[in-house]
Amino acid sequence: MTVQLGINPLTWTNDDLPSLGAETPLETCLSEGKQAGYAGFELGNKFPREASVLGPILAKHDLKLVSGWYSMELLTRSVEEEIEAVREHLTLLRELGATAMVCCEVTGCIHGAQKTPVHLRPTFPADQWQEYGRKLTEFAKYTKSMGVEIAYHHHMGTVIETADDVDKLMEHTGDEVGLLLDTGHLTFAGADPVAVAKRWAGRIKHVHCKDIREDVMNDVKNRKLSFLNSVLEGVFTVPGDGCVDYPAVFAILKEHDYAGWLVVEAEQDPAVANPLKFATLGYQNLQRFATEAGLMA
């Protein structure tokens, strides 16, 4: 089985900063994504959340549902409360054939706070790793029993952001907890995505292919900008348009027989970075990298 190439609607319309692409209808996102070559989409804020409604819309464009973000609060919730909170979202993913759920611990997160410098993000409470790992593993066992595996998304502005955070999360959880490897977030966090991929290749269930403009990253860090203002400055771009070593990352994925989705998730200001142009560039580069690595025929 080879990988499939998908995209996140952030290219057209932004969930964390809804003013970006607010005027762009879902129809445009889907039609241009299909035109660019993608086989599927992750969920966004303009997607209907009933399988009976969303299914026919995706089918009209010959697209699959790849996954969808879930905001987790296991630091403050019980496992039972989290299971209740995820129920409708999990049902939607399962009914439309998605087998991985993007999830992120959002307790205290600041990535949506435009005026808060991203370096002021909360840190994970050191005395709660063991208990959190137990709870997350239990939660992951439940979602897996429902046919959908967890892909934990380390994310700028949250309690699990750095390579060290990822290591601790993986060390304190069972194999039921999969990892979402996001090349852009790791690079922004000062980590090497190749090294992280090597350490946890067997746990990677989903991949976000977000590239970094290194000069912009250095500038926004120096100016201590927020996550959203860094996005507006153009810190992220599509694969092959930045400094991430995708051939090295994909070689590791191939070595460990990765067969999931490779998803372009490269939020930019659509008024500056034309969505169709960048979606097409991202697809072409991603297809080339994946083919050269042997992940695609």
Side-chain angles (χ1 to χ4, degrees):
M1 180 179 177
T2 61
V3 298
Q4 297 184 83
L5 307 187
I7 193 165
N8 188 289
L10 283 170
T11 299
W12 291 266
T13 176
N14 197 294
D15 282 13
D16 292 324
L17 192 57
S19 60
L20 294 184
E23 71 288 349
T24 304
L26 177 60
E27 172 73 19
T28 299
C29 303
L30 298 178
S31 61
E32 291 190 353
K34 185 63 180 180
Q35 180 182 341
Y38 296 97
F41 264 79
E42 291 187 335
L43 291 172
N45 60 14
K46 294 181 179 176
F47 284 62
R49 297 306 168 108
E50 299 81 32
S52 61
V53 178
L54 180 56
I57 292 173
L58 292 173
K60 172 187 172 184
H61 294 276
D62 190 25
L63 290 165
K64 299 176 183 178
L65 179 63
V66 176
S67 185
W69 170 284
Y70 174 66
S71 294
M72 195 163 53
E73 297 178 51
L74 260 180
L75 272 173
T76 55
R77 287 174 177 162
S78 68
V79 175
E80 292 72 24
E81 288 170 331
E82 202 67 71
I83 287 173
E84 183 59 33
V86 79
R87 199 176 304 279
E88 289 186 9
H89 182 67
L90 189 63
T91 298
L92 174 64
L93 295 180
R94 185 186 69 242
E95 290 184 353
L96 292 184
T99 58
M101 179 176 72
V102 176
C103 67
C104 178
E105 179 63 50
V106 299
T107 300
C109 67
I110 62 165
H111 61 278
Q114 192 170 358
K115 295 182 179 180
T116 304
V118 72
H119 73 278
L120 297 179
R121 62 103 179 191
T123 55
F124 196 93
D127 62 346
Q128 293 190 40
W129 279 113
Q130 186 170 350
E131 175 64 8
Y132 187 82
R134 182 195 64 77
K135 291 167 66 177
L136 183 54
T137 302
E138 187 177 338
F139 180 65
K141 287 179 179 178
Y142 167 76
T143 69
K144 191 172 183 177
S145 74
M146 300 297 287
V148 181
E149 291 189 284
I150 277 179
Y152 189 92
H153 192 343
H154 52 90
H155 198 289
M156 295 298 297
T158 72
V159 292
I160 297 176
E161 175 186 281
T162 67
D164 183 59
D165 295 336
V166 171
D167 290 346
K168 285 187 170 64
L169 181 73
M170 294 290 97
E171 289 163 0
H172 286 88
T173 53
D175 289 345
E176 295 87 355
V177 178
L179 177 66
L180 185 157
L181 183 78
D182 188 303
T183 53
H185 279 279
L186 282 172
T187 303
F188 200 161
D192 176 5
V194 177
V196 174
K198 282 181 180 177
R199 284 198 296 278
W200 302 111
R203 301 277 293 273
I204 295 172
K205 300 297 182 183
H206 202 56
V207 181
H208 276 175
C209 300
K210 184 200 311 289
D211 217 330
I212 287 278
R213 294 185 175 99
E214 189 171 15
D215 56 340
V216 178
M217 178 182 69
N218 292 335
D219 177 57
V220 299
K221 284 186 174 183
N222 184 57
R223 292 160 58 196
K224 294 181 169 55
L225 297 190
S226 66
F227 177 74
L228 290 178
N229 283 339
S230 298
V231 169
L232 291 174
E233 290 290 326
V235 69
F236 296 130
T237 185
V238 295
D241 191 40
C243 65
V244 172
D245 187 354
Y246 281 99
V249 172
F250 286 3
I252 296 166
L253 296 179
K254 174 60 178 176
E255 182 182 347
H256 288 82
D257 299 320
Y258 179 76
W261 287 87
L262 301 176
V263 178
V264 171
E265 193 214 36
E267 57 264 48
Q268 302 184 72
D269 183 346
V272 176
N274 178 271
L276 178 57
K277 173 185 174 181
F278 276 88
T280 303
L281 176 63
Y283 180 84
Q284 292 171 345
N285 288 340
L286 198 57
Q287 183 186 49
R288 174 167 54 85
F289 291 143
T291 302
E292 290 173 352
L295 289 167
M296 293 184 75

